[in-house]
Amino acid sequence: MKIEICRDDLLKQIGYKSPPQKVLLELIDTMLGSMKELLEPSTLYKEIREGIRVPPFLQGARLKYVGIATIGSGLEKKVGELFEAGEPTEAYILDVIGSLATTKIGNMLWEEIKRDAGRKGFKRGIRRTPGCQAVDLATQRGILAQLGDRDA
């Protein structure tokens, strides 16, 4: 899985509206370059069969999935190292890159699920993610339990 983050998206997420200084652009390009070494994107999803307890927002749905997407732990670890080394600007930029990458891998997962559902004759559905009111921590633990143990 390949995740691309473009400089303009990163600048927008950071909050820049006017062109930043050259030194910041160079730093951003460096951090975007290091991202490729740090990401270990992975997705996993599973159709939920009848008879399995589901969160309230899935009750009554004819086709149900649980899934998880991750960029791995390498980027988060590097952010911590940068903060510890007294490089908060680099750490912040890399952290924002991680947020953008997490969104992208989540979108990739959603597309995989939509394709699978489409092959089964379904055309649309709702997407819930952590942070949505309908997905509390207990529900998230249940989703992980549905997917089973996985070391990846």
Side-chain angles (χ1 to χ4, degrees), residues 54-71:
V54 296
F57 63 86
L58 288 176
Q59 291 176 1
R62 294 187 316 168
L63 182 64
K64 302 170 277 290
Y65 292 90
V66 293
I68 189 168
T70 182
I71 60 169

Side-chain angles (χ1 to χ4, degrees), residues 94-130:
L94 196 57
D95 189 58
V96 173
I97 289 170
S99 294
L100 291 168
T102 299
T103 297
K104 287 196 178 239
I105 191 72
N107 291 342
M108 290 174 177
L109 172 63
W110 180 240
E111 290 303 317
E112 289 176 43
I113 290 170
K114 284 189 341 185
R115 276 191 298 276
D116 191 67
R119 287 189 291 270
K120 295 173 182 173
F122 291 84
K123 294 185 179 165
R124 60 184 190 175
I126 60 168
R127 175 179 175 176
R128 298 281 190 215
T129 60

Side-chain angles (χ1 to χ4, degrees), residues 8-23:
D8 290 339
D9 289 343
L10 179 55
L11 288 168
K12 182 179 176 183
Q13 188 70 24
I14 291 172
Y16 273 88
K17 292 180 174 54
S18 58
Q21 297 174 350
K22 183 179 178 185
V23 67

